[in-house]
Amino acid sequence: MGLVVQKYGGSSVADAEGIKRVAKRIVEAKKNGNQVVVVVSAMGDTTDELIDLAEQVSPMPAGREFDMLLTAGERISMALLAMAIKNLGHEAQSFTGSQAGVITDSVHNKARIIDVTPGRIRTALDEGNIAIVAGFQGVSADKKDITTLGRGGSDTTAVALAAALDAEVCEIYTDVDGVFTADPRVVKKARKIDWISFEDMLELASSGSKVLLHRCVEYARRYNIPIHVRSSFSGLKGTWVSSEPIEQGDTKVEQAIISGVAHDTSEAKITVVGVPDKPGEAAAIFRTIADAAINIDMVVQNVSAAATGLTDISFTLPKTEGRKAIDALEKNRPGIGFDSLRYDDQIGKISLVGAGMKTNPGVTAAFFEALSDAGVNIELISTSEIRISVVTRADDVPEAVRAVHSAFGLDSDSDEAVIYGGTGR
Amino acid sequence: MGLVVQKYGGSSVADAEGIKRVAKRIVEAKKNGNQVVVVVSAMGDTTDELIDLAEQVSPMPAGREFDMLLTAGERISMALLAMAIKNLGHEAQSFTGSQAGVITDSVHNKARIIDVTPGRIRTALDEGNIAIVAGFQGVSADKKDITTLGRGGSDTTAVALAAALDAEVCEIYTDVDGVFTADPRVVKKARKIDWISFEDMLELASSGSKVLLHRCVEYARRYNIPIHVRSSFSGLKGTWVSSEPIEQGDTKVEQAIISGVAHDTSEAKITVVGVPDKPGEAAAIFRTIADAAINIDMVVQNVSAAATGLTDISFTLPKTEGRKAIDALEKNRPGIGFDSLRYDDQIGKISLVGAGMKTNPGVTAAFFEALSDAGVNIELISTSEIRISVVTRADDVPEAVRAVHSAFGLDSDSDEAVIYGGTGR
């Protein structure tokens, strides 16, 4: 065997019992002959409690100090986990992000990893230790300040360490059994996916699937690190995310045509009404949005009404950025030139993801038919090579997801995924 | 003005309100034109909570991991304090012990500071920041592991930083008004001491006074850093600890003959009964104790009984070490040769401290007279140049302390400290 990186989330180490349970699982991996590196998040609600304390002393906590504060959470969980492992008779040492060589840029609260220099981890492993590393945190290259990586940062820590240590696999332990063909809370018949390609996982992640964050999968793809997403509670095999299908027992897992259906109700839609239909107008709008540091998702421009020479431009963005975007556009209204703004946060997005749609014509048609049969009205459409997304009313999302999931043969009681005939998508 | 180091204990920053109150006090010092370095302990009960967590996962937490765990406490308080200061419109940055350059040996849980390289603190100060430093912690010189300094370690951090930064004063903020002539919980008429020499403070600290620990005072004396012990709640002037009396307004504080009366009921007495009165016997006993890494305090050997050629040797040691000492002696009984061991943990020690006793004969006589008048029986006696200590029954300690305090004119309603005549002490 080789080197395994395991990552445990906050719900897996929420209390002393959880820590002891996780310690046993880690020791099992070690007993199987692996070198084991463990990345751990803060215990359960620790981070929320620290944020609450920060808000009590300052309405706008400074980034540097906020990061210093939050990183106390992983420091506690990693030290306790190392103690629990040693209590089982195995050697373990805990390391902060800084000690583990996780080097980041200087953007506090959402730093990006720019290098990993895991010399101390390597030494600890060579000396027979299980290495426990604080997730979610690093140290800035220029100022040597403590940084945090933002939401889902511990997964990225795990993948980055796996890459730097040339690990065989990065196991992400969580409170679900793996990646599903749809959110099981919405689709009761959702199936656990045995294997999914990096590309499909990236599309699912950017379409609302929350099991793995886009940044983490992107990192894994770049360094070709297989990820195994699995439950820290059940011990079942989970979902493999990798470049090539993995062997499962005697059979080789095949690439599915459709990997899954994702949905997202965290976005809002802004429509800029009465924009002159001339070159540079769209650029002026999106420059304004970009200057406000707001990421947008889908963009649609209506066909211009010939009589007026005016058109409407709609785009979607995180609801949390809605106020900022409206303010920025209003402020630049003289420069852009438009009649009015419409803001709509009662929208939802449904996305069908699967590399198979590149070679299986008719997927798009079947997708729209399924939505139509379910009586769901489509407001916006966007596509990539392996994804189709539509915006609908937020209320329609659960029914739309179930209809699409069923139409593409993804339900757990379906015999086989459906193959489509027809021409083009 | 110059550079001031302030230290705030856990009770001063027990909650968000405490942190905000302390932040205001720090900002005042900054507004007075000082460069300000603040050393802070963990909030209130945080350390106890972390110890409790550790005990839940492991009955014998490893030193390295235990230190990693405990240092999360100061990380939280220092980040919150920096936020609170910034919220008042002043610049502040927090630093871990490691970042502040507190270099220690590798003895986990009770490391000693061996060097301080405060380059980052100096830079932060020069850039106009208030520097907040985690107390109680450092980084080991050889392994670069996180260490803690043991009980009272934050005071030592403050004094060590004050020395390394050549501070004008190290202000120790606590929940009492300063150093008193006796423990105010025992002696209602105890007086706050305006100034006390390092030497007298060292004797008080090693005789049971808990306001400052011996190690911290020793460090301050070595580098000649004046300490100002004061309340973080009252804002009153506290007690100055320094080599020379400080000016207080128009008058120069004089050296008191007697600084105070300390007591200690944390020790036990072991008597080794029936030891052959020949060379090497005492050495064998105390080598046994030393090999068990136990520090002893007072030692008394009885006059040998001529008939038997046997004697008894008594010594005092921390109660917490009692079991270990008994076991070590029993184990080596064949080598040492003694009849039996007697263990007594119902003892107390009363100490009178004051450099004035060097030049004022009669202090010892007056001390014993006071005890005698109070009906207190003396079991052991030990002296240094500026201290007399006696061991009594633990039950007698409060009355004995009050009697001695009163006899030496230390009571707050006394006009003047008493000067003694007579010959010798």
Side-chain angles (χ1 to χ4, degrees), chain A residues 344-355:
Chain A
D344 178 359
D345 63 3
Q346 294 304 307
I347 63 163
K349 185 171 72 166
I350 300 115
S351 302
L352 185 71
V353 170

Side-chain angles (χ1 to χ4, degrees), chain A residues 183-341:
Chain A
D183 185 338
R185 287 168 300 185
V186 172
V187 182
K188 293 276 174 279
K189 295 178 176 175
R191 285 196 296 204
K192 191 185 74 186
I193 299 171
D194 290 328
W195 171 78
I196 185 171
S197 68
F198 286 130
E199 289 70 23
D200 280 16
M201 192 66 232
L202 281 172
E203 291 285 3
L204 283 180
S206 56
S207 302
S209 169
K210 299 200 169 49
V211 183
L212 291 177
L213 286 191
H214 189 277
R215 191 164 48 149
C216 158
V217 182
E218 179 61 49
Y219 210 108
R221 178 173 68 165
R222 196 187 323 154
Y223 293 96
N224 197 23
I225 300 295
I227 297 177
H228 188 184
V229 183
R230 55 197 302 195
S231 165
S232 73
F233 297 86
S234 75
L236 296 175
K237 289 204 171 173
T239 300
W240 284 84
V241 187
S242 60
S243 55
E244 294 295 328
I246 44 89
E247 308 281 339
Q248 293 259 2
D250 295 338
T251 57
K252 183 156 182 169
V253 174
E254 295 290 338
Q255 166 99 46
I257 294 168
I258 299 298
S259 286
V261 186
H263 70 274
D264 188 353
T265 51
S266 71
E267 295 191 343
K269 181 174 72 169
I270 290 176
T271 303
V272 188
V273 180
V275 181
D277 192 2
K278 61 179 169 54
E281 275 302 306
I285 289 171
F286 293 110
R287 170 53 54 201
T288 298
I289 298 298
D291 287 350
I294 297 168
N295 286 317
I296 59 167
D297 181 14
M298 297 164 74
V299 179
V300 171
Q301 178 167 346
N302 285 0
V303 176
S304 174
T308 60
L310 295 178
T311 187
D312 300 342
I313 294 179
S314 295
F315 62 92
T316 64
L317 77 175
K319 280 177 189 170
T320 49
E321 305 281 23
R323 183 75 258 161
K324 200 161 63 161
I326 295 286
D327 289 348
L329 288 169
E330 283 294 356
K331 200 174 151 207
N332 285 345
R333 186 201 280 244
I336 303 169
F338 58 82
D339 284 347
S340 61
L341 296 174

Side-chain angles (χ1 to χ4, degrees), chain A residues 16 20 56 59 62 64-66 68 71-72 75-76 79 82-83 86-87 93-94 99 120 143-145, chain B residues 16 20 56 59 62 64-66 68 71-72 75-76 79 82-83 86-87 93-94 99 120 143-145:
Chain A
K20 286 193 269 192
Q56 287 179 46
R64 180 186 185 281
E65 303 308 322
F66 200 61
M68 187 68 95
T71 52
R75 198 176 190 85
I76 294 169
M83 288 176 195
K86 289 171 83 78
N87 196 42
Q93 289 192 335
S94 64
Q99 290 176 335
R120 289 189 68 171
K143 293 186 181 166
K144 310 293 178 215
D145 281 332
Chain B
K20 286 193 269 191
Q56 287 180 46
R64 180 186 186 279
E65 303 308 322
F66 201 60
M68 187 68 95
T71 52
R75 199 175 189 87
I76 293 169
M83 288 177 195
K86 290 171 81 79
N87 197 41
Q93 289 192 336
S94 65
Q99 290 177 334
R120 290 190 67 171
K143 293 186 180 166
K144 310 293 178 214
D145 281 333

Side-chain angles (χ1 to χ4, degrees), chain B residues 16-37:
Chain B
E17 287 314 306
I19 287 170
K20 286 193 269 191
R21 188 188 67 242
V22 164
K24 280 185 196 151
R25 188 178 286 275
I26 293 166
V27 165
E28 283 305 312
K30 172 80 173 170
K31 280 185 182 165
N32 288 338
N34 296 293
Q35 288 191 316
V36 184
V37 175

Side-chain angles (χ1 to χ4, degrees), chain B residues 264-311:
Chain B
D264 188 354
T265 52
S266 71
E267 295 190 343
K269 182 174 70 170
I270 289 176
T271 303
V272 188
V273 180
V275 181
D277 192 3
K278 61 178 167 58
E281 276 301 306
I285 289 170
F286 293 110
R287 169 54 53 201
T288 299
I289 298 297
D291 287 348
I294 296 167
N295 285 317
I296 58 166
D297 180 16
M298 297 163 74
V299 178
V300 171
Q301 178 168 347
N302 286 359
V303 175
S304 175
T308 60
L310 296 177
T311 186

